């Protein structure tokens, strides 16, 4: 399935100094070349992966999420949504890995580690489950503390 034009970017706004119509972001020469050419491309591939799930093209879904991760290995959403995709397919070990990576990126966000608990339960991995439960409680306490104050 070809990528819709809205998710492709062939310009290099940093090199040219021109910004595409409707572009409100910024370019940073310290970022990888792929980000200079298309600053939101990682997000576009995450969105593409989520959209492709609706048409059931598993190979393209995986390629989209893997491309997002390659573009930005510190992108929380790429791992989080890839984990949700894997979980939905019953790929519990892979889902847990994606959720764990998302949690490493945002250790105060309890959502991915809480979802990892479910994956460890499905795998009957008591050690992984207990570890995730403890980390989940700590994240929830940090989250509640941050909101309180």
């Amino acid at each position: 399935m070809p990528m819709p034009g809205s998710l492709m970017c062939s310009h290099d706004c940093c090199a040219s100094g021109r910004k595409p119509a409707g572009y409100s972001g910024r370019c940073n020469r310290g970022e990888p070349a792929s980000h200079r050419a298309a600053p939101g491309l990682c997000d576009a591939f995450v969105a593409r992966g989520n959209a492709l799930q609706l048409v059931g093209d598993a190979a393209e879904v995986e390629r989209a999420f893997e491309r997002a991760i390659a573009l930005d290995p510190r992108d929380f959403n790429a791992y989080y949504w890839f984990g949700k995709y894997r979980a939905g397919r019953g790929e519990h070990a892979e889902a847990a890995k994606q959720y764990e990576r998302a949690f490493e990126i945002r250790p105060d966000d309890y959502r991915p580690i809480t979802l990892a608990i479910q994956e460890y339960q499905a795998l009957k991995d008591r050690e992984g489950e207990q570890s995730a439960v403890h980390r989940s409680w700590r994240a929830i306490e940090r989250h509640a503390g941050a909101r309180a104050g």
Side-chain angles (χ1 to χ4, degrees), residues 123-138:
L123 293 165
K124 300 190 182 335
D125 178 349
R126 287 292 286 159
E127 186 177 318
E129 178 188 353
Q130 289 304 308
S131 172
V133 165
H134 292 297
R135 290 179 290 140
S136 176
W137 278 110
R138 287 194 302 270

Side-chain angles (χ1 to χ4, degrees), residues 1 13 18 26-27 45 54 63 75 90 99 113 126 148:
M1 172 179 278
C13 59
R18 292 176 283 128
R26 62 180 173 78
C27 290
F45 276 101
L54 301 174
R63 274 194 286 277
D75 186 79
Y99 291 141
I113 199 63
R126 287 292 286 159

Side-chain angles (χ1 to χ4, degrees), residues 23-47:
Y23 177 72
S24 62
R26 62 180 173 78
C27 290
N28 181 342
R29 290 194 179 272
E31 293 177 335
S34 58
H35 288 183
R36 288 195 311 269
L41 194 56
C42 177
D43 290 339
F45 276 101
V46 171

Side-chain angles (χ1 to χ4, degrees), residues 68-79:
I69 290 166
L71 286 166
D72 187 353
R74 300 282 307 153
D75 186 79
F76 170 86
N77 286 316
Y79 294 101

Side-chain angles (χ1 to χ4, degrees), residues 48-123:
R48 178 175 166 74
N50 284 327
L52 286 169
Q53 291 178 57
L54 301 174
V55 295
D57 190 340
E60 285 294 317
V61 170
E62 290 187 24
R63 274 194 286 277
F65 283 120
E66 288 166 356
R67 182 73 171 126
I69 290 166
L71 286 166
D72 187 353
R74 300 282 307 153
D75 186 79
F76 170 86
N77 286 316
Y79 294 101
Y80 181 79
W81 289 106
F82 200 10
K84 291 192 69 83
Y85 168 72
R86 296 285 196 172
R89 292 178 51 88
E91 299 172 4
H92 304 295
E94 288 300 316
K97 285 180 194 174
Q98 300 303 329
Y99 291 141
E100 289 280 359
R101 185 66 180 110
F103 186 66
E104 287 174 18
I105 294 167
R106 281 195 203 160
D108 290 341
D109 191 329
Y110 62 89
R111 296 172 302 162
I113 199 63
T114 302
L115 292 170
I117 293 168
Q118 296 172 4
E119 303 310 318
Y120 290 125
Q121 289 170 339
L123 293 165

